[in-house]
Amino acid sequence: MYRKRGTNMTGSAYQNWLKKEEEWIGAYCSRIRKNSILKVVPLTILLLAVLFGGMALLGGGSTQDLLTGMVGGLFLGLIICAFYLAVLLLQLRPSRYVQKIEQSVKALSANDMEKEFLGREMLAALEGGEQVLSYQMIGPNSNGTPARVILTSHYILQEGSSPYAVLVRLSDIAEVKTGSEQKMAVTHGAKSKTCHHFTLYTIGFYRKDRFDRGLSENDPPDYAMGFFQENLRDSAAGMIKNNGMRVQHPEV
């Protein structure tokens, strides 16, 4: 069972919610690890062995040179894949994603009582399913990561995007606005990089105390959720509106 460090809340609704989150993202992590170990690693090693062996043969080498080149490619492939798997396994730890959710909870300065309240609401929303918008990230550098928006009576959470977790306490919010931004992302290939220009569709949340903190209407929102698809953004905005909050659409 997932245990939160430095707390005695094991078995609480909050901890049970975090465990659900760990299981949800854990299925994705397991799928990526399996695909890498069974497909990416063997293909990489095989291609490097064939490449180095072919280079030796095309250079006028003998059969022995061919075998030596293939062994060299095999050895290089093993080294590259070892580093690749080390980084991959470090990044694809379900607990790492849960820590990002905990950081978003910490940013709300929630005490243990509110954490329990939050946990109960999130568990109820996940069990009911009506207030959960699930989708897959499709865009530059998204890697098909699963994502979802969970709305409760008092909170809204987006997970799977960048940043990974955006948690908003709805009672803190004075205004909600939709918008869009032109963005550029770079994807890297084996020997090249590609620039992608795309539109990021957003939902901005403006806190009631932003003017007390010296912020104006022209400053960025206190919280922002991003979507690659406009229809997903609009669906999430519709959920918020149906929950009783007014959503402004300045871009329309």
Side-chain angles (χ1 to χ4, degrees), residues 4-235:
K4 187 174 186 292
R5 301 179 185 85
T7 183
N8 58 0
M9 293 181 64
T10 302
S12 68
Y14 179 71
Q15 286 298 313
N16 289 335
W17 168 50
L18 293 181
K19 182 181 178 182
K20 288 284 187 182
E21 294 290 348
E22 186 174 27
E23 292 172 350
W24 177 71
I25 195 62
Y28 165 76
C29 294
S30 178
R31 185 170 69 251
I32 296 300
R33 288 195 299 265
K34 182 178 180 179
N35 181 70
S36 298
I37 293 173
L38 297 181
K39 295 181 180 179
V40 177
V41 169
L43 283 175
T44 300
I45 294 175
L46 177 62
L47 287 174
L48 285 174
V50 171
L51 176 64
F52 276 66
M55 290 173 61
L57 192 62
L58 290 174
S62 62
T63 302
Q64 182 62 41
D65 293 327
L66 170 64
L67 294 176
T68 301
M70 293 185 69
V71 171
L74 177 66
F75 183 71
L76 179 62
L78 289 172
I79 294 177
I80 292 175
C81 289
F83 279 106
Y84 165 74
L85 287 177
V87 173
L88 182 71
L89 295 177
L90 183 64
Q91 294 291 323
L92 289 178
R93 290 179 294 114
S95 60
R96 174 174 172 268
Y97 292 94
V98 173
Q99 288 171 1
K100 294 178 182 294
I101 294 176
E102 290 189 278
Q103 289 170 4
S104 69
V105 175
K106 184 178 180 180
L108 293 183
S109 299
N111 57 27
D112 287 353
M113 184 177 297
E114 185 178 4
K115 288 179 180 179
E116 274 294 281
F117 182 71
L118 169 65
R120 286 195 297 270
E121 286 209 346
M122 288 293 171
L123 286 172
L126 290 172
E127 183 177 354
E130 296 86 359
Q131 294 292 79
V132 179
L133 175 64
S134 299
Y135 56 98
Q136 189 178 54
M137 295 287 290
I138 301 175
N141 296 315
S142 61
N143 298 322
T145 307
R148 61 187 178 186
V149 174
I150 306 173
L151 178 66
T152 74
S153 297
H154 300 90
Y155 303 93
I156 185 169
L157 169 70
Q158 182 188 40
E159 52 185 339
S161 187
S162 180
Y164 177 76
V166 179
L167 177 64
V168 181
R169 184 192 291 119
L170 297 178
S171 61
D172 293 341
I173 304 304
E175 292 182 318
V176 181
K177 297 180 181 179
T178 63
S180 61
E181 303 174 13
Q182 299 303 312
K183 295 285 189 178
M184 184 185 74
V186 178
T187 56
H188 295 272
K191 295 183 179 180
S192 63
K193 62 179 181 179
T194 305
C195 294
H196 303 268
H197 296 272
F198 64 96
T199 302
L200 183 68
Y201 300 94
T202 62
I203 301 177
F205 298 84
Y206 298 79
R207 282 172 45 176
K208 297 174 181 177
D209 63 350
R210 62 185 285 108
F211 295 111
D212 297 333
R213 292 181 286 118
L215 299 176
S216 70
E217 294 182 355
N218 297 324
D219 289 309
D222 297 287
Y223 309 96
M225 297 180 178
F227 303 82
F228 286 123
Q229 287 80 36
E230 185 177 11
N231 65 311
L232 288 174
R233 190 275 311 272
D234 291 345
S235 295

